[in-house]
Amino acid sequence: PALLFALMWRGAPLGLVEPGYTGVLVVGVAGILALMSMSAFLTDQFAVDRAGLTLTFLGPATGTEIVAGKAIGGMAAFFIPLGIGTIAAVAIHPSGSPLLWLGALMCVIAAYLAQSPGAAALSAWFPAPFDLTRLRAGNPHPLASILGLMSSVLVYAVCGGIFAATVALTRSPIAGLAAGTLVLAAAAGIARLGWPLAALALDARRENLAMVAQGR
């Protein structure tokens, strides 16, 4: 989808958006589309392991380590569509300051980090059988899906809004990079504090999660 937006906006005026910012905007669109597309997986991230979840629980890893590991693994998957969108943006809309590009990417990553504790908690509270090998067996709990999608969009709007407002008010790539850095640092702090809280939900629901993951 991000590639389609990049092609559609090639040479087309975007109203108040200057041509030098088009590529950065495509990166932002790629980020929100990637996060939304992963929402179903992120809000059922434990049950998706099926029988493997039981083995995880039998291992020496603590709840916080499991939650953090899931978040890092999910980020690796998140980077795939984000990377494709970024490459498309650079190839089709190469103009703009590299500092703005970096600041935008920081905000996208920040949004993923900030929503990760909430997604982990929702997947622990509302697990549902999830089978990646079957087309119609990959739906998370409806409430978890709705709340996860809403929180992802809200967090993304806050992170992107801070970056966009800073750039619009200052017209400075350095200020945009500084805003992205601060947003990323704040998101990392939220994740660092939120993962142990999500681990409490995980630890309280281990038996139920293991049963649901195995389809019981």
Side-chain angles (χ1 to χ4, degrees):
L3 177 59
L4 294 179
F5 278 105
L7 292 172
M8 182 177 65
W9 289 339
R10 184 177 184 180
L14 293 177
L16 298 177
V17 180
E18 297 180 8
Y21 297 138
T22 304
V24 175
L25 181 59
V26 173
V27 171
V29 171
I32 185 60
L33 291 177
L35 192 57
M36 291 175 65
S37 67
M38 290 186 62
S39 179
F41 173 82
L42 293 174
T43 52
D44 207 12
Q45 57 188 270
F46 300 116
V48 73
D49 286 346
R50 304 185 69 190
L53 183 63
T54 302
L55 297 177
T56 301
F57 287 159
L58 292 175
T62 65
T64 300
E65 290 172 342
I66 293 174
V67 170
K70 281 286 188 179
I72 295 171
M75 182 182 292
F78 176 68
F79 281 160
I80 296 175
L82 177 61
I84 294 173
T86 301
I87 292 172
V90 172
I92 300 174
H93 303 280
S95 60
S97 170
L99 299 181
L100 287 179
W101 288 85
L102 182 57
L105 285 172
M106 284 182 172
C107 288
V108 172
I109 297 171
Y112 174 88
L113 285 175
Q115 63 80 44
S116 62
L122 287 172
S123 64
W125 288 330
F126 306 105
F130 201 124
D131 188 351
L132 290 173
T133 65
R134 299 174 59 187
L135 183 61
R136 296 186 179 182
N139 295 320
H141 190 284
L143 183 57
S145 180
I146 293 172
L147 292 177
L149 185 59
M150 290 176 60
S151 63
S152 294
V153 172
L154 178 60
V155 168
Y156 201 91
V158 172
C159 294
I162 292 174
F163 175 76
T166 301
V167 173
L169 291 174
T170 65
R171 299 288 179 176
S172 169
I174 296 178
L177 178 62
T181 302
L182 291 175
V183 169
L184 180 57
I190 292 173
R192 182 65 182 85
L193 295 175
W195 288 341
L197 297 178
L200 295 177
L202 174 64
D203 290 336
R205 301 273 292 171
R206 285 196 176 214
E207 183 176 353
N208 179 261
L209 278 168
M211 294 177 62
V212 173
Q214 297 182 52
R216 299 179 183 178

